[in-house]
Amino acid sequence: MMESRKTKNLFLNALLLVVVVGLLWWAPENLDGYKIQILNLIAIYSILGLSLNLIYGFTGMFSLGTAGFMCIGAYVSSLLILPEMQKDMIFILEPLNPILYGAHAPFVVAVLAGGVAAAIAGLIIGIPVLRLGGDYLGIATLGFAEIIRVVANNIPTITNGALGLKGIPSYANLWWNYGWMFFTLYVMYRLVNSNFGNALKAIRDDELAAKAMGINTFKYRVISFTVGSFFAGIGGALMASLLTTIDPKMFMVIMTYNVLMVVVAGGLGSLSGSVIGAVVVTVLLEWLRFVENPITLGSFEIPGVPGMRMVIFALSLIMIILYRPEGVMGTKELSWDGLFGLGKGGKDHE
């Protein structure tokens, strides 16, 4: 029975992969640029949501530093894929550092470099900061993200200062973004369902008890924070190539809040919840744009209200927190057995 269920799940996973590949092949020829952009943003926010969920949802560390790691990944990747001619055009206030001027790498290498740079920054900041906990950790990581943004604004020979980087090659298409998303999802799945993941969940549930069981909680927290930082850097690199322009203002604290909304809406401690949260938040933010434009109902015209989109979005999130505080998925995961009613529901990480 168990063997047949595994075979069935393997077949359904392969079928789902074929369907996704078919949709990715079909979409560019049949959807307009706006819808393609939304699909790309869903993939990138899924990566960012998964990275923060590892830190916050599975390890219990309240971090507000996602925007800082995205900033590092975005700038490192962009500087490696920008052609020299474009570098000459955009660095008009001060010339680019000669070492970076000749630096160039393929897109996949540049994205990985952005992730590694973010991971190194996460390790450096994590060693002293992760001795804190709760709200203090959140404040410290928020301060780190703001420091990164201010530094990026004041080193024009590397980041071009407030002008940012323009004309970044647009390599981040649906194939790249969803390829990285599935890679991130696979790595996270293997991680949280291993002995390492069990240790993270033990730390989240009761750190003192985890210490009493012999778990080196500080080491596990640092590794979790570093891995989450790596994937936040990956998300930042993909975002930069998708938008083709970046500047320090793009990585303000509101970016971290957007990713936090993805995690909270989907469910803390749920990988599939992060993907669902990315879909909900991205689609809702875009769909609600109509309330800011005039609406005609028969002979009546309701004037658009600037900013109303965010008001309704905030109210929607409040409703989720009030009536579904654990998020859409809670700590459960989507599974074929749960979908077809063969089990008692989705798999629960607890």
Side-chain angles (χ1 to χ4, degrees):
M1 180 67 178
M2 186 63 67
E3 192 65 31
S4 63
R5 181 173 293 183
K6 287 183 179 179
T7 303
K8 182 205 69 173
N9 288 341
L10 184 62
F11 171 75
L12 290 173
N13 287 335
L15 183 62
L16 177 63
L17 182 61
V18 171
V19 171
V20 171
V21 170
L23 289 174
L24 293 179
W25 176 81
W26 172 84
E29 300 295 330
N30 295 275
L31 299 179
D32 57 43
Y34 177 66
K35 294 184 178 69
I36 295 293
Q37 187 79 344
I38 292 176
L39 290 175
N40 280 314
L41 288 173
I42 288 172
I44 293 174
Y45 273 111
S46 295
I47 294 171
L48 297 171
L50 289 166
S51 74
L52 182 58
N53 214 343
L54 177 67
I55 296 171
Y56 187 21
F58 289 100
T59 318
M61 298 183 292
F62 182 52
S63 171
L64 294 174
T66 302
F69 300 120
M70 287 180 65
C71 182
I72 294 171
Y75 273 100
V76 170
S77 175
S78 299
L79 287 170
L80 289 175
I81 60 175
L82 272 171
E84 292 183 0
M85 183 180 298
Q86 185 65 21
K87 292 176 181 178
D88 288 330
M89 292 175 60
I90 61 178
F91 281 85
I92 55 177
L93 296 180
E94 293 189 38
L96 176 63
N97 185 292
I99 297 176
L100 295 175
Y101 181 79
H104 191 74
F107 181 60
V108 64
V109 176
V111 173
L112 285 172
V116 170
I120 293 172
L123 180 63
I124 293 172
I125 191 66
I127 290 174
V129 165
L130 292 181
R131 299 185 187 279
L132 303 172
D135 297 338
Y136 300 105
L137 176 59
I139 293 170
T141 51
L142 178 63
F144 161 76
E146 188 63 15
I147 288 170
I148 292 296
R149 189 186 68 81
V150 172
V151 168
N153 205 37
N154 288 278
I155 47 174
T157 58
I158 297 177
T159 63
N160 204 27
L163 296 178
L165 303 180
K166 318 293 182 186
I168 301 168
S170 183
Y171 296 131
N173 56 22
L174 287 173
W175 293 102
W176 277 115
N177 291 331
Y178 278 88
W180 280 108
M181 187 199 80
F182 282 113
F183 170 74
T184 305
L185 188 59
Y186 176 77
V187 171
M188 293 294 180
Y189 175 80
R190 299 290 294 181
L191 200 62
V192 301
N193 289 286
S194 65
N195 290 334
F196 180 84
N198 292 332
L200 295 184
K201 285 174 271 190
I203 294 169
R204 174 196 64 189
D205 295 337
D206 193 327
E207 187 171 355
L208 290 177
K211 284 182 179 179
M213 293 171 62
I215 297 175
N216 187 339
T217 58
F218 179 70
K219 182 184 80 171
Y220 279 94
R221 281 158 62 95
V222 169
I223 295 174
S224 172
F225 193 77
T226 303
V227 173
S229 302
F230 171 81
F231 285 106
I234 295 289
L238 294 173
M239 184 77 78
S241 182
L242 176 67
L243 301 179
T244 71
T245 179
I246 57 173
D247 61 70
K249 286 185 179 180
M250 176 179 163
F251 302 102
M252 297 179 72
V253 67
I254 187 66
M255 178 64 76
T256 297
Y257 292 157
N258 287 343
V259 180
L260 186 60
M261 286 188 292
V262 167
V263 175
V264 172
L268 288 170
S270 172
L271 299 178
S272 51
S274 293
V275 178
I276 293 172
V279 174
V280 170
V281 170
T282 305
V283 172
L284 195 59
L285 278 173
E286 295 299 325
W287 180 73
L288 286 174
R289 288 186 185 277
F290 79 92
V291 301
E292 298 184 351
N293 300 319
I295 302 173
T296 302
L297 298 174
S299 59
F300 297 97
E301 182 174 311
I302 304 173
V305 181
M308 183 56 67
R309 175 175 68 110
M310 296 308 297
V311 172
I312 297 176
F313 180 69
L315 290 174
S316 302
L317 288 177
I318 291 173
M319 296 297 289
I320 291 175
I321 293 170
L322 287 176
Y323 295 102
R324 185 75 179 177
E326 68 274 24
V328 174
M329 292 297 297
T331 58
K332 296 183 181 297
E333 299 289 0
L334 288 176
S335 67
W336 294 115
D337 290 345
L339 289 174
F340 291 112
L342 299 178
K344 294 182 180 180
K347 180 182 177 182
D348 198 318
H349 279 300
E350 294 184 3

